């Protein structure tokens, strides 16, 4: 079945255009509600959101949809995506919904769905909901229409839960931490959790107004936090994205630390404690070859998947791994969360900083990354990767990098872009290879 609504991570688009309208949101509530009406108990859905202006509209529409088919609704207000996954499971809900477009600008919004176990929906569930979206929903009888209520302690529940990911003896006293919340969903909970553990917290991106989410702040706009860490003489910087499911760290020198280094740090510590399961880490094809070599030197494996945290999670579950993530900052720690959680990962990094007594620049430089270059080529239509001259260019590049590097070529799942990534020990060679392939794709586009 062709997907009309669901993409690689739920439903996403520009608000009041295409699929991202109030009318669609209400239909999603009705379709998802009908799909998860199982058994005779009173059914419940938890709905959270980030700080986008359109969140009010989408929330109201979803509430109308779910209640119209007989589901009770619990709303939380702005909370990180992993908090909604957690509350769905802890409140014994039948379904969880996060209204967010993650790191996108405020004009976009999205709908992410979680099952009763707190995990993102399977392909089968999404396809079933897609089919129901094309049908007129059977509505509940008047006496069975759902009720809606808001819970006021949701933030406290989540803060308590993420603090449990570090030992009860751990304190952050003496640490000065800059926390950039991207004017997003974690603007209250992330600084609070870190402060409660004893750190001095300086906040950025903690004044959302509905339109400034991810605007010059957060994990995709790092200049502000890099400057703030150096200016304030902070020990470390923590940068989250709009829905706080990803983390980028900044060391005391103002240098950024990506997800690969964070995964290496967490996995090494857990392996030393005998707590790492699966014999290694799961990451995507975009993770640096340096991470793979580092883990191999520790007797650990790096399992690679397609880009997207849902693919990482699926491999973690099938292979019994408990640490995985993406270079972009998604950190999945299955012992504590069912999805990527930037705040939780940040607490683990801060705990490592306290425990080691090292500076962030020392602790977080776990391995030397090999030179890596990614370029995007926009095209207007067709299938440029099927062109014979592009195939020949790629084959020649793979032969040139054989044994010395890697090549990853893929079409974007959300834009008409071909992403060309190469890495290897020789940075100049990597640049030449990427430029040749990009030129061939442009000629064929």
């Amino acid at each position: 079945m062709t997907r009309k609504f669901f993409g690689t991570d739920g439903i996403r688009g520009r608000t009041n255009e295409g699929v991202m309208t109030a009318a669609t949101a209400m239909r999603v509530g009705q379709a998802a509600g009908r799909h998860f009406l199982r058994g005779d108990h009173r059914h419940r859905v938890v709905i959270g959101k980030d700080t986008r202006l359109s969140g009010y509209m989408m929330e109201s529409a979803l509430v109308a949809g779910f209640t119209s088919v007989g589901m009770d609704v619990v709303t939380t207000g702005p909370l990180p995506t992993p908090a909604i996954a957690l509350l769905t499971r802890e409140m014994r809900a039948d379904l969880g919904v996060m209204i967010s477009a993650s790191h996108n600008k405020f004009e976009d919004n999205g709908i992410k769905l979680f099952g009763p176990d707190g995990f993102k929906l399977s392909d089968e569930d999404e396809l079933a909901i897609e089919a129901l979206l094309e049908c007129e929903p059977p509505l509940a009888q008047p006496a069975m229409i759902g009720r809606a209520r808001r819970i006021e302690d949701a933030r406290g529940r989540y803060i308590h839960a993420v603090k449990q990911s570090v030992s009860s003896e751990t304190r952050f006293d003496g640490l000065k931490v800059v926390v950039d919340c991207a004017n997003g969903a974690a603007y209250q909970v992330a600084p609070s959790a870190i402060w409660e553990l004893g750190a001095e917290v300086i906040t950025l991106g903690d004044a959302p107004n509905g339109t400034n989410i991810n605007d010059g702040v957060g994990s995709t706009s790092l200049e502000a936090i890099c400057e703030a860490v150096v200016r304030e003489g902070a020990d470390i910087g923590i940068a989250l994205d709009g829905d706080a499911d990803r983390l980028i760290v900044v060391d005391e020198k103002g240098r950024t630390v990506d997800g690969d280094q964070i995964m290496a740090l967490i996995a090494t510590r857990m392996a030393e404690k005998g707590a790492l399961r699966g014999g290694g880490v799961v990451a995507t094809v975009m993770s640096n070859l340096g991470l793979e070599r580092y883990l191999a030197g520790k007797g650990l494996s790096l399992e690679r998947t397609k880009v997207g945290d849902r693919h990482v999670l699926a491999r973690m579950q099938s292979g019994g791994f408990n640490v995985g993530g993406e270079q972009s900052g998604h950190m999945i720690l299955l012992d504590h969360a069912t999805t990527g959680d930037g705040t939780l990962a940040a607490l683990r990094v801060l705990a490592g900083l306290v425990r080691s007594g090292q500076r962030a620049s020392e602790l977080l430089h776990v391995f030397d990354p090999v030179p890596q270059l990614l370029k995007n080529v926009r095209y207007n239509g067709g299938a440029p990767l099927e062109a014979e001259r592009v195939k020949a260019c790629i084959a020649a590049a793979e032969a040139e990098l054989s044994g010395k590097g890697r090549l990853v070529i893929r079409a974007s799942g959300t834009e008409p872009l071909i992403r060309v990534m190469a890495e290897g020990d020789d940075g100049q060679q990597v640049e030449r290879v990427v430029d040749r392939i990009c030129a061939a794709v442009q000629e064929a586009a």
Side-chain angles (χ1 to χ4, degrees), residues 77 186 334 337 365 397 414:
L334 272 185
H365 186 82
T414 57

Side-chain angles (χ1 to χ4, degrees), residues 325-355:
E326 294 188 276
Q327 187 184 69
S328 61
H330 285 113
M331 298 290 116
I332 304 176
L333 306 177
L334 272 185
D335 291 343
H336 304 284
T338 56
T339 189
D341 191 328
T343 306
L344 188 154
L347 295 188
R348 297 293 289 271
V349 171
L350 293 172
L353 196 62
V354 170
R355 185 171 48 247

Side-chain angles (χ1 to χ4, degrees), residues 255-266:
R255 299 182 304 196
T256 61
V257 179
D258 66 17
D260 286 347
Q261 298 281 1
I262 299 169
M263 281 188 283
L265 173 67
I266 292 174

Side-chain angles (χ1 to χ4, degrees), residues 3 6-10 12 307 311 376 379 410-419:
R3 289 170 177 260
F6 285 92
T8 56
D9 192 15
R12 188 178 298 185
V307 172
H311 301 298
N376 298 320
Y379 63 99
R410 66 183 185 91
S412 168
T414 57
E415 299 177 86
L417 296 174
I418 302 297
R419 306 194 190 279

